[in-house]
Amino acid sequence: MVKILKQILIILILSIIVGFVVNAINPKGVPLVMEIKDIKEKSDTLKVNFVNDPYDTTQNNTSLMQNPNLNKQGFVEPQNIKLNLAKQLFDRKALFIDGRLPQDYSTGRIKGAINIPYEEFHKKTKEERAEMMKGYNKHGIIVCYCLGGDCEMSIDLAYDIAKLGFTSVNIYSEGYKVWENAGYPVEK
């Protein structure tokens, strides 16, 4: 019995060694240690440290832990998200903001989205912008979007909102058309 256990242990150790060697010489090998930067770039999940539900835009979550996206200008940089994460945030009742003009918004939008046209918002003073955003939770999840493709209004709008002290602003740059084509909830 002891002899069999020794043989199993030897085979197990040799298998582990061979696995490490093959992984090391394989150009598509799995990294054994990954930089935090690599994890952030490869991840398509939102990792925000809140004590309360970060998706609830109705409550004031003041217990936000230090956000790693806080930049040198003193605001939390918006994160780019893809369709699958945007849908997850939608399901969790995140606040969606359509940055397009009112006439574009009225032809179709993500269900429940509010309209804050970027062009109008950007022309306002910082105080006027803050007044417009007064009723919204500064620590709630916000998703800005526009039509998608070459449209960059969602990016600019997200940065303007983040500069007002909102700590979890996201940019869904694929936009309304991709959302609609995926069959996700829209309203017209």
Side-chain angles (χ1 to χ4, degrees):
M1 180 72 170
V2 173
K3 186 175 181 181
I4 293 174
L5 288 175
K6 280 185 175 180
Q7 289 175 342
I8 291 173
L9 184 61
I10 290 172
I11 291 172
L12 180 65
I13 292 172
L14 287 174
S15 298
I16 292 171
I17 292 171
V18 169
F20 278 120
V21 170
V22 169
N23 188 55
I25 61 174
N26 185 347
K28 293 184 179 180
V30 178
L32 299 178
V33 178
M34 188 177 280
E35 295 287 325
I36 290 180
K37 177 183 164 210
D38 294 336
I39 293 171
K40 183 178 174 189
E41 289 172 359
K42 293 177 182 177
S43 173
D44 194 23
T45 58
L46 187 62
K47 294 178 181 158
V48 182
N49 296 317
F50 287 93
V51 172
N52 297 320
D53 186 357
Y55 303 101
D56 185 351
T57 56
T58 61
Q59 63 177 316
N60 187 11
N61 293 323
T62 55
S63 55
L64 176 69
M65 298 175 88
Q66 175 134 10
N67 191 317
N69 294 325
L70 186 66
N71 73 12
K72 292 177 183 169
Q73 288 79 34
F75 71 94
V76 179
E77 289 195 41
Q79 298 181 58
N80 290 307
I81 62 173
K82 300 284 185 191
L83 178 64
N84 61 345
L85 183 53
K87 178 61 166 78
Q88 289 174 25
L89 296 177
F90 174 85
D91 291 341
R92 297 294 305 270
K93 309 288 186 241
L95 175 63
F96 276 68
I97 302 177
D98 189 320
R100 299 176 296 158
L101 296 172
Q103 57 268 30
D104 297 325
Y105 172 80
S106 66
T107 63
R109 62 197 160 275
I110 294 174
K111 187 174 181 178
I114 64 168
N115 184 221
I116 299 179
Y118 166 71
E119 291 177 8
E120 294 174 23
F121 191 75
H122 187 69
K123 290 178 186 175
K124 297 189 178 300
T125 66
K126 185 175 181 178
E127 292 75 25
E128 291 171 325
R129 290 182 207 161
E131 185 63 30
M132 283 181 72
M133 298 299 294
K134 186 177 176 183
Y136 300 106
N137 181 2
K138 286 201 171 200
H139 304 299
I141 304 294
I142 295 175
V143 178
C144 295
Y145 74 94
C146 55
L147 187 61
D150 293 334
C151 177
E152 294 184 356
M153 288 185 279
S154 59
I155 298 168
D156 298 331
L157 180 61
Y159 273 84
D160 279 355
I161 292 172
K163 288 175 184 175
L164 294 173
F166 287 81
T167 58
S168 189
V169 182
N170 301 278
I171 304 162
Y172 168 53
S173 58
E174 292 171 310
Y176 174 71
K177 285 295 180 192
V178 171
W179 180 275
E180 183 181 41
N181 291 340
Y184 291 150
V186 298
E187 54 191 13
K188 298 184 181 201

